[in-house]
Structure formats: structure tokens, C-alpha cells
Amino acid sequence: MSLPPSAPGRPARSPLGWDATIIALVVLALGLGSRLSDAFLTGANLSNLSANLVEVALISLTMTLIIIAAEIDLSVASTLGVCSALLGVLWAAHVPMGLAILLTLGLGALAGFFNGWLVTRLGLPSLAVTIGTLALYRGLAYALLGDRAVADFPPFWTNLGFGLVPGTQIPIPLVAFVVLAVITAVALHATPFGRSLYAIGANEVAARFAGLRVERTKLLLFILSGLMSAFAAVVYTFRFSSARADNAAGLELSVIAAVLLGGVSIFGGRGSVVGVIAAVFLIGIIQNALTLADVPNEILTIVTGLLLILSVLGPNVAARLRAARQRRSNLTSPKGGAP
Amino acid sequence: MTGLSTSSTAVPGSANLLTRLFRAREASLILILLALIAVTAAVNPRFLSAQSLRDLALNVSIVALVVVGQTLVLLMRHVDLSVSSVLGLTAFLSGSLFVAHPGMPVWLAFLAGLGIGAVLGAVNGLLVAYGGVPALVATLGTLYVFRGLDYAVVHGGQITASNLPPAFSAFASGSVLGVPSLVLLVLAVMVGFGVYLRSYRSGREYYAVGSNVEAARLAGIDVDRRVLTGFVLSGAIAGLAGVLYLARFGTVDAAAGTGLELQVIAAAVVGGVAITGGVGTVAGAGIGALLLGVIGSALVALRAPAFWQQAIQGALLLLAISVDIVLARRAARRVQERSHR
């Protein structure tokens, strides 16, 4: 009903500038990709490209919300691992698939709740908590499944993982991502809930005095993050038709890299869903284009790292140069800069 | 959170009480450690055999060494995620020095490791101190960049023990009075930095910067230079750890040390180094690393089911972090109440 005005209430240094930059970079990467290889701008390749980044894309949505609220969740990949393991164990025990998926999502929500409970009730820093649960949840995945792999998932379900929407080249999981991305974007940018995340991230004490229920909101964010990781686990398991305890190990760093590259401030209070999605695709496009051009994988790792650093360093250096030029022009003009 | 970091600032007046508190905190960790060792040894006496203690010491000391540098950075309210990649890269590069120059003196490998590590650390330090890039972002970026460089340099190759001169490998197998020389070196570094952080002006600056950057700046501390130095030292120490890693394992490929950064941060946090800055000691961080190492090998000695070990380790890690932070906060509150009376 009463949506908060977006213009005056926006946090300082609106992320819009960065959104435009990163979308321009995506277009540039698409152009470069088509120059590097003829196979790049084909439906089949783009379809393959987006299928490969869908788990990172999914989890980066909830990670965006958490980092905007000035918290972090390092346990997402381990949550994915333990949920994938549970799905495999349940299926191997002949639990009907529908129920197995529901239980898996339930485990994800529970894992997220546990993180959120430790952060909000005990007041522990989320970085410390989720380093702990990163180890714990991955350990539970091994406890569930050991070094076995469950692979005999029914074709109907695995097809949902790696299949295409009939008549198109759009991977089915991408459709789910688009729906969830729209929901996240609307929730973050056009609802009081979304505005409250910016407020909490920008100044938690002020947010509390303004009557926001900080603890409840954060708890909800961690539950959503766990739930999203569980959903990504279902997608991952079906896409590779394999449930293993080490599924997606290390994915948390890719997710955080994408979110930060997307212009979300690690200190909270700033960022947008559009920028993050563009960043996820930027990394995916570069990865894919370089692979097609037979550029070795290690270069890609370096490019990802450099992009991440430059995304913050670039604007900082530009601002400093601008400030320096301002100062110099103040010094040269005799009337400027009265002390 | 704020209560934790403000109360821990080493204000001269309350320093005495606070040092006693932190002593108590380290003492409680040591108690947990001793209890764990006693129980494990009672169930499986072989846990205390010379061989098993040696292995434990060797495994812990590499993590404990990297934790020293991480402590410097964490004290200033920053973080260095790139240590694992620095370790991997220096391990391989110092190994390939031996391949290229088989007759190279051993000390040169150590020097190379320290130097390469310091340069990599300087990249982090410049980005954070002068580039205005938050440490988490900068070092996550360099974690990728350095690992990518590592893969590019290694190029599918590998260093094996046969490439290394015996005098170098002896560093991990040889010992002085029964203690492996590698462990002695790590202990020496820890003692050195422990004393430095406790008793030297520039050592205290790490605490000042982490407790309150503005106050530190107003007190005349060159914050940027301190941050840069911290990252350079963290890099150099991780580089040294890379050389020791090579000596210990003999075999190094491009994946060496992957994931070590989280182990290191976990050890520091368990050892009472606050990720909110300004609180912690090298001794505590070392005990944290030791505790995690002992938990790991105790689970093996107690014959915990293999696939449950990681879960139990994770649960204990989480417990250690939670208990430590909750106790520290309670202690801090008590100090505050007492000083208000």
C-alpha cells in the first residue's frame, strides 16, 4: 500500500551506477565471446552456459539479502551438500520423491534456522557461526552418505534438472531462477521488508530504535538462505543425477564473489538484485567464452579474482582522482577554497 | 559485539584485571585440551606414543604458523583469506627452485618463501590500506588470483620428494632433543611475535587499530602503514609455511593448501582472537590450532566412525566458538559493572 519513496530514502552512493556498469560489462563480454568463438552465440551454448551457473545464481539471491543486512552465510555450500546427501539417502530408502524433496527443503530451512538462532539469540558474529556450521553441515553430509554416491534417480526428476522447456532451449531450472529472482527483486526493492534490510545493514542500532524487529528479520533471512541452498541442492542433484557428500564444496566463495562483484557492500546497507544477477552472468559468460576459446582454466580464476578486486578498487580510485582534481582546481583559482 | 571490543581495549588502568581475565581464558582452553588428552589417552594409550605425538605436532605446527600472521590481521579488524593460496604458490615455487638448482643451499629456499610471501602480502596490504578495498573482498579476490597463478605455474606438474635435497626434507624428519626442527622453528616464530605484540610499541598498535581506528589515527598511529605491514607479515609467514609444507609433505601440486584459510580462521577464533578486532594473543591462537588438531587426532584414536569424524569436529568447533564468545562477553560485562560501582 504505502511503498517507501525510493529516491530520497536511498542510501548514499546509489548502486544504480554500478548496475549500469556491470550490465555494460555483460554486453561487452557477450560481444567479445562472439568474436572469440563462432560457437558462443548459439542457443545450445547459451543454454549450457546458464544451466551451469544456476546453483550459484539461486544462492546468490538470498546471499544478497543477507549481506545487505550486514551479515554473511558461509555455510551455504555445506547446506547444499547435506541436503543433497539427504535427498540421496531418502531416495535410496525408497521414500517417494515428492516427500523426499519436501524433507530436503525442511532440512535446509532447519540448517538456516540453526545459523540464525546462533546469530540472533546468542548474538554471535555470523562469520564465526557459519565457519563452524560450514564444517558441521559438510560433516553431517559425510555422516549421512559416507563416500557413496546415489545416482539412480528417476528420469522424470533428472529431466527437471538438466532438461529444457519443451520447444525452446531454456533450461528448466533457469525458469525457477527467473521466478525466484523476480520475487527477490520485488521483495528487496519494493516492500517495507526490503527497505528494512537496508536500514538494518546501514545502522542496526538506528534500525532498532526505529522499531524494526532486527532479530526476527535476520532469523528469517538465515532460514530463507538455508531453504534456497536446499532448493539449489535439489537442482544440483538432479542436474548431475548424483547425490554425493562433497557436492558443491567451495561454492560459497563463488557465490560471495558474485554478490560482491554485483555491487553489494560487504559492510551492508547497499546493493541491488539486478547488479548481482548481472555479475553472476558476467562470470558465467567469461568462463564459458574463455573455455570455448581454449583459454586455460587458471586464467579464468585469475580473471574472476581481478574482476572482484577491480569492482571495488575502480570506483575508489576514480573518486580519489576526482577529489584530487577538485583540490587542484581549488588551489589554482584564486577565489576558490576559502579556509 | 561492541561491548566485547571496547571493553577489551588495553586501557592502562584496567590492564591488570584484563590480562588476568585473558590469562583465565587461555587457561580454560588449556584445561579443555588437557581433559581431552587425558580421556583419549585413557581409552587408547597409543595416543600418547612418541610417533603419534610427533605427527600431531607436525600437522598442527603448519596451521599454527599461518595463524600467527592471521592474528596480526584479525587484530586490526581485517581478515586474510588468501593465506591458503599464498602457501600453495610458495610451496610450489620454492620446490621448483630446487628442481632448477639442485645444489641450492636450504636457507635460500626459506628466504625465497618469505620473500614471495611478503610480495603477495604486500598486494593485499596495498589494496586494503591504500586502495580502500575491504579486506574480505581484496583477499577473496587474491585467493583466486594467487591460486590461478599457482595453477598456471604448476601447469599439471608436481614436485615430489625425489626433487628435494635430503638436507631440506630432514627439516621435517630431523629433530633436536626429540622435537622436530620444523616444530621448533614454528615455536620460535610464535614466541617472537607473542613478545612483539605484548611488549613493543608497534606491536600494541595492532590492538589500537583494531579497537578504534579513529582513536588510533588521532593518537598519531600511521594506520595505513600498520595495515600494510600486517598484511606483508601475514603473507611472509604464509610463505614460510609454504616452504615448511614442502619439507613436511615432499609432494606438492597446484591444489596444495586449498581450504586452509577457513581452518586458520577457525583456529584463531577458537583461540580467542575476536574477528571484531582488537582482542587476542598469539599464544591463544596457537592453543586454538592445537585444540583443533588434538580433536582431529583424538577422534581417530577413539575410533570414532570415520564418516562421523568431520561432523563431530564441526560440532566441537561450533561449540568452542560459541562458548568462548559467550564467556568473554559475560566476563567483559562483569568488568564493566565492577568499574561502574
Side-chain angles (χ1 to χ4, degrees):
Chain A
M1 242 187 334
S2 60
L3 298 179
S6 60
R10 273 199 106 83
R13 280 217 288 168
S14 136
L16 209 74
W18 183 247
D19 283 359
T21 313
I22 194 135
I23 290 171
L25 284 175
V26 169
V27 174
L28 194 71
L30 283 173
L32 281 177
S34 62
R35 289 283 293 277
L36 278 172
S37 162
D38 290 336
F40 178 74
L41 270 187
T42 58
N45 183 53
L46 291 181
S47 163
N48 182 31
L49 182 164
S50 43
N52 275 332
L53 50 75
V54 75
E55 291 90 11
V56 170
L58 282 169
I59 300 178
S60 69
L61 292 175
T62 41
M63 188 70 83
T64 303
L65 303 184
I66 286 196
I67 297 185
I68 285 177
E71 298 288 348
I72 198 159
D73 186 354
L74 292 176
S75 72
V76 285
S78 296
T79 306
L80 195 164
V82 72
C83 289
S84 176
L86 180 72
L87 188 63
V89 166
L90 290 176
W91 177 244
H94 308 294
V95 175
M97 187 54 88
L99 180 62
I101 292 176
L102 270 183
L103 288 173
T104 301
L105 293 176
L107 178 67
L110 189 68
F113 173 80
F114 186 54
N115 283 334
W117 184 79
L118 288 170
V119 170
T120 56
R121 278 299 144 79
L122 297 187
L124 304 178
S126 53
L127 188 70
V129 165
T130 56
I131 282 181
T133 52
L134 177 144
L136 175 63
Y137 296 161
R138 185 63 70 186
L140 288 175
Y142 278 102
L144 274 173
L145 207 53
D147 55 2
R148 288 178 297 142
V150 177
D152 57 339
F153 292 101
F156 169 77
W157 293 98
T158 54
N159 188 48
L160 283 184
F162 59 70
L164 303 174
V165 176
T168 67
Q169 299 218 344
I170 302 167
I172 295 171
L174 191 67
V175 178
F177 167 72
V178 170
V179 172
L180 288 168
V182 169
I183 294 174
T184 310
V186 170
L188 179 65
H189 298 298
T191 68
F193 168 75
R195 303 311 304 170
S196 76
L197 300 188
Y198 286 101
I200 291 169
N203 191 331
E204 190 179 317
V205 177
R208 194 166 282 134
F209 278 120
L212 294 176
R213 302 172 107 161
V214 175
E215 268 70 33
R216 217 180 57 168
T217 308
K218 283 186 178 175
L219 185 62
L220 179 66
L221 287 182
F222 279 101
I223 294 173
L224 287 176
S225 174
L227 205 54
M228 187 66 94
S229 304
F231 181 64
V234 174
V235 172
Y236 191 103
T237 309
F238 289 152
R239 198 158 74 81
F240 293 98
S241 188
S242 165
R244 292 178 53 90
D246 64 350
N247 270 358
L251 191 85
E252 67 278 353
L253 292 186
S254 312
V255 171
I256 292 170
V259 171
L260 297 180
L261 178 61
V264 176
S265 162
I266 190 70
F267 301 120
R270 241 173 54 210
S272 81
V273 172
V274 176
V276 170
I277 295 172
V280 169
F281 276 85
L282 180 63
I283 295 176
I285 289 167
I286 294 175
Q287 179 157 22
N288 177 279
L290 292 183
T291 312
L292 284 181
D294 284 329
V295 174
N297 222 354
E298 53 259 26
I299 304 296
L300 164 79
T301 318
I302 296 176
V303 170
T304 309
L306 284 180
L307 266 178
L308 182 57
I309 293 169
L310 288 177
S311 71
V312 180
L313 187 65
N316 280 357
V317 170
R320 199 169 286 187
L321 287 179
R322 220 175 302 131
R325 205 176 310 139
Q326 190 80 35
R327 225 174 303 130
R328 209 170 315 133
S329 64
N330 281 353
L331 283 177
T332 47
S333 69
K335 278 176 192 166
Chain B
M1 240 192 295
T2 40
L4 213 169
S5 53
T6 47
S7 63
S8 57
T9 323
V11 188
S14 57
N16 210 1
L17 184 65
L18 280 166
T19 14
R20 235 184 298 148
L21 260 175
F22 285 121
R23 289 258 166 74
R25 214 161 144 195
E26 275 145 27
S28 69
L29 277 175
I30 292 175
L31 273 181
I32 297 173
L33 194 60
L34 290 179
L36 186 66
I37 292 172
V39 170
T40 315
V43 176
N44 184 351
R46 254 185 305 168
F47 181 64
L48 285 185
S49 73
Q51 184 57 40
S52 112
L53 286 181
R54 240 181 86 87
D55 284 343
L56 176 65
L58 282 171
N59 288 341
V60 166
S61 52
I62 290 179
V63 175
L65 180 60
V66 183
V67 171
V68 174
Q70 190 71 248
T71 302
L72 294 176
V73 176
L74 286 173
L75 281 178
M76 295 184 296
R77 213 174 187 161
H78 291 299
V79 69
D80 188 351
L81 292 176
S82 73
V83 285
S84 53
S85 299
V86 172
L87 182 144
L89 187 54
T90 50
F92 188 84
L93 286 179
S94 53
S96 39
L97 276 180
F98 280 121
V99 174
H101 311 281
M104 185 181 79
V106 168
W107 60 266
L108 211 58
F110 284 93
L111 204 64
L114 280 170
I116 298 167
V119 171
L120 299 177
V123 173
N124 289 328
L126 288 173
L127 285 172
V128 175
Y130 298 100
V133 183
L136 196 82
V137 182
T139 59
L140 179 59
T142 53
L143 175 140
Y144 283 116
V145 174
F146 297 161
R147 184 62 70 184
L149 287 175
D150 194 13
Y151 273 96
V153 174
V154 173
H155 214 76
Q158 201 180 49
I159 304 275
T160 59
S162 62
N163 298 130
L164 305 173
F168 180 68
S169 310
F171 213 79
S173 53
S175 60
V176 180
L177 298 174
V179 184
S181 2
L182 190 156
V183 177
L184 287 176
L185 177 69
V186 171
L187 279 175
V189 173
M190 291 181 72
V191 170
F193 274 96
V195 171
Y196 169 68
L197 282 180
R198 212 180 81 96
S199 310
Y200 283 79
R201 186 193 163 89
S202 56
R204 298 312 296 169
E205 288 184 4
Y206 289 94
Y207 292 89
V209 171
S211 300
N212 190 328
V213 151
E214 279 316 309
R217 202 163 271 145
L218 290 174
I221 294 173
D222 189 340
V223 172
D224 291 344
R225 213 189 57 187
R226 185 54 46 211
V227 171
L228 176 61
T229 314
F231 276 101
V232 169
L233 287 172
S234 174
I237 291 170
L240 179 62
V243 180
L244 294 181
Y245 185 98
L246 178 69
R248 161 88 172 107
F249 295 103
T251 310
V252 168
D253 59 14
T258 307
L260 188 85
E261 69 281 352
L262 293 180
Q263 270 183 57
V264 168
I265 295 171
V269 172
V270 167
V273 180
I275 52 176
T276 44
V279 185
T281 60
V282 170
I287 296 170
L290 187 59
L291 186 59
L292 292 188
V294 168
I295 289 174
S297 51
L299 286 174
V300 177
L302 292 173
R303 300 203 182 79
F307 290 121
W308 275 95
Q309 286 176 12
Q310 205 186 332
I312 298 171
Q313 226 169 326
L316 289 176
L317 169 63
L318 196 60
L319 190 72
I321 294 172
S322 317
V323 169
D324 192 57
I325 295 178
V326 170
L327 285 183
R329 192 173 314 141
R330 194 162 297 168
R333 205 176 301 143
R334 216 172 303 142
V335 173
Q336 261 174 352
E337 277 163 17
R338 215 171 292 167
S339 62
H340 279 306
R341 242 174 257 157

